[in-house]
Amino acid sequence: MKTIPYILLCLCCLPLRAQRNYVYDTERVRSLQLITDGDPLLPPVLRMGSRQQLELSFDLMGHEYHRLLYRISHCPWDWGSPDGESLFESDYLAGLNGQPIDDYDTSFNTTQLYTHYRLTLPDKDTRLLLSGNYRIEVFDEDDYGDREATPLLKAEFCVAEAAMSVSAQVSPNTDVDFNASHQQLTYSVSYGSLPVTDPQRELHTIVRQNRRGDNAVVDLKPNIIKPQGIEFTHRRELIFNASNEFHKFETIDMHRPKLNVDNLRWREPFYYFTLFPDQPPRTYTYDQDQNGAFILRNAEYDDEELTSEYAWVTFTLLSPERLSGGEVYVCGLWTNGDWDPLCLMQWDEANSQYTASVYLKQGYYSYQYRQLSADGKTGLTQQTEGDFSEAENEYTVLVYYRKLGDRYDRLVNYSTVNYR
């Protein structure tokens, strides 16, 4: 299978040490999801020793059968190559890699044909034995044994222990402003019964805002070290642009407009949804949102995985002039990262607006407009959404531990805190 060049170009702009999903074959693979315990709003993290399950699902366009095989790898704390750990497959996996995804069905009564694939972990044949970071790669059968082959997709998730305790707080009163445009995180880690002799080398943390990878704070060193734990207080690195509430829309009905949809139409062979135009607000207004999450569903049939349609959705961001700085993207958890080239917005000089049309399955979606920073690494919202300290945001702290001499990184706990 050929690698899609612009996807790889996009990945070069992203931090290497951030959890995310990757879709390489963007012509065929759509609607990639990792769902914990059937709840699409939960993060892809399983508790060690629990009965939780994770479902990987996606659509492969067309009804032609493809035998797909999956491979599970245990990864270091920074999501680098599995070679960064000294593990055998049997150390972290009870079962075998290279198994086919046998749970699949073809779409029913849809204008665009697709085949829906599902993989549930753990199951009766596969168990995860260690905590830490995991990566699933899915291949066409003919490509599985080729070490140079590019998979159809990669999806990343975690298995967490509760061996240490993590406490986090977020405040709009920051070291750079007071109730203005930022939020600041403070957190501490208590070792519990684990022996930590060199926390600077044995412990690593990752902090994420709304599960984003572009502005993640990776491997920040503590400024307070105590016999029983470490603390991160008054750190400029933990000051985040507060951004704004996410926009949202629904395409659950193919006959009448729903939430934030201005109009819909059928023009063979596609459905087209046009959303109401957005524009950067001057003041903050609270609106309950889902911080970039999406839920695939429709209003007409029960089996939404197989009966939901695909449609072109047009986003519009009004602007009196082209924004100074980098390109503008539509962003959400459903864009499988932060800079999906399929979600790049084009400047329309004649109508003073940015537009993008994205091919999406029916459902509920939340999204933001972000502008690529000058260094091509971070999404900025100052010009596209505004930054308001009142905005509701989710912050997640993940703590990894590898005792000196150990062979892999354990995810010893994580904590999620919401501002508001």
Side-chain angles (χ1 to χ4, degrees):
M1 186 192 73
K2 295 182 179 179
T3 302
I4 307 300
Y6 57 77
I7 287 289
L8 295 184
L9 177 63
C10 174
L11 295 183
C12 292
C13 299
L14 291 170
L16 295 178
R17 298 181 292 181
Q19 177 185 359
R20 69 183 293 263
N21 297 330
Y22 304 83
V23 174
Y24 294 102
D25 191 341
T26 56
E27 294 182 2
R28 292 195 294 164
V29 177
R30 299 280 175 175
S31 304
L32 171 61
Q33 284 188 298
L34 276 177
I35 297 178
T36 304
D37 279 354
D39 187 347
L41 301 182
L42 291 177
V45 181
L46 301 178
R47 280 292 180 185
M48 193 78 181
S50 72
R51 294 186 178 182
Q52 289 181 299
Q53 287 189 308
L54 190 81
E55 181 183 276
L56 169 72
S57 65
F58 58 92
D59 293 336
L60 202 63
M61 304 310 291
H63 277 181
E64 180 183 356
Y65 170 69
H66 292 266
R67 192 167 189 263
L68 304 182
L69 308 182
Y70 68 90
R71 179 168 64 209
I72 301 174
S73 303
H74 194 281
C75 299
W77 71 271
D78 62 359
W79 294 100
S81 167
D83 295 337
E85 300 181 316
S86 302
L87 292 176
F88 296 105
E89 184 178 300
S90 58
D91 290 327
Y92 62 85
L93 187 66
L96 296 175
N97 269 322
Q99 298 302 304
I101 301 179
D102 290 327
D103 187 358
Y104 62 90
D105 289 289
T106 55
S107 61
F108 175 74
N109 200 28
T110 57
T111 58
Q112 303 299 313
L113 306 181
Y114 57 87
T115 304
H116 185 73
Y117 288 83
R118 292 174 295 266
L119 173 65
T120 301
L121 295 172
D123 60 15
K124 61 183 180 64
D125 299 317
T126 304
R127 290 186 297 112
L128 307 170
L129 304 178
L130 303 177
S131 70
N133 294 339
Y134 284 86
R135 179 179 294 134
I136 306 173
E137 297 172 289
V138 177
F139 295 83
D140 272 314
E141 181 180 27
D142 294 339
D143 293 332
Y144 183 80
D146 183 356
R147 298 184 65 88
E148 302 299 322
T150 302
L152 297 174
L153 61 91
K154 292 181 183 179
E156 296 176 339
F157 67 97
C158 302
V159 176
E161 304 175 41
M164 292 187 182
S165 61
V166 187
S167 176
Q169 301 84 36
V170 59
S171 172
N173 301 330
T174 77
D175 292 341
V176 296
D177 57 16
F178 181 82
N179 289 344
S181 57
H182 296 86
Q183 295 171 353
Q184 185 162 2
L185 193 71
T186 298
Y187 65 97
S188 61
V189 179
S190 177
Y191 305 150
S193 61
L194 293 180
V196 179
T197 58
D198 188 350
Q200 301 276 13
R201 296 172 60 189
E202 294 176 316
L203 292 175
H204 303 280
T205 64
I206 296 177
V207 179
R208 308 186 73 181
Q209 180 194 50
N210 298 326
R211 306 185 212 172
R212 291 170 58 178
D214 62 313
N215 63 348
V217 179
V218 179
D219 204 24
L220 184 64
K221 298 306 178 183
N223 57 326
I224 299 177
I225 299 178
K226 299 180 178 180
Q228 296 302 319
I230 54 177
E231 297 180 6
F232 302 77
T233 61
H234 293 285
R235 300 299 297 270
R236 290 295 184 95
E237 298 92 338
L238 294 174
I239 299 175
F240 292 81
N241 291 334
S243 187
N244 204 347
E245 306 302 345
F246 283 68
H247 310 280
K248 53 193 175 184
F249 69 91
E250 287 183 338
T251 56
I252 61 175
D253 193 325
M254 306 308 284
H255 303 290
R256 56 190 63 86
K258 292 294 186 180
L259 176 66
N260 201 34
V261 174
D262 185 11
N263 65 79
L264 66 91
R265 67 189 187 279
W266 162 260
R267 191 170 66 209
E268 192 173 356
F270 298 112
Y271 286 97
Y272 294 85
F273 285 78
T274 300
L275 306 184
F276 284 105
D278 298 303
Q279 58 184 349
R282 295 183 178 180
T283 58
Y284 172 77
T285 301
Y286 173 72
D287 186 20
Q288 185 175 7
D289 65 2
Q290 299 299 338
N291 294 333
F294 65 111
I295 302 171
L296 300 177
R297 62 191 180 93
N298 68 63
E300 299 179 272
Y301 304 101
D302 292 333
D303 195 352
E304 63 273 1
E305 294 178 338
L306 304 177
T307 60
S308 294
E309 294 280 3
Y310 274 86
W312 287 98
V313 179
T314 297
F315 300 81
T316 303
L317 176 64
L318 302 178
S319 178
E321 59 185 5
R322 184 165 188 164
L323 301 178
S324 60
E327 301 283 4
V328 177
Y329 288 79
V330 181
C331 297
L333 296 177
W334 49 275
T335 62
N336 297 315
D338 305 296
W339 311 118
D340 188 335
L342 300 178
C343 298
L344 172 65
M345 305 198 77
Q346 303 298 323
W347 170 245
D348 181 351
E349 183 81 34
N351 295 297
S352 298
Q353 61 188 23
Y354 286 88
T355 62
S357 292
V358 187
Y359 196 50
L360 298 174
K361 197 173 185 178
Q362 281 184 275
Y364 165 95
Y365 292 79
S366 56
Y367 65 97
Q368 276 189 336
Y369 301 106
R370 298 180 196 146
Q371 189 174 23
L372 195 60
S373 61
D375 60 7
K377 294 181 179 179
T378 307
L380 306 177
T381 51
Q382 181 180 10
Q383 296 191 93
T384 57
E385 301 285 0
D387 288 308
F388 302 96
S389 64
E390 303 97 323
E392 183 275 326
N393 287 296
E394 174 192 274
Y395 294 90
T396 303
V397 181
L398 300 105
V399 181
Y400 298 86
Y401 169 64
R402 188 194 295 204
K403 186 173 67 174
L404 296 179
D406 281 357
R407 298 185 296 139
Y408 74 100
D409 296 315
R410 299 164 57 180
L411 177 55
V412 288
N413 214 336
Y414 77 101
S415 177
T416 297
V417 59
N418 285 77
Y419 177 71
R420 182 172 283 279

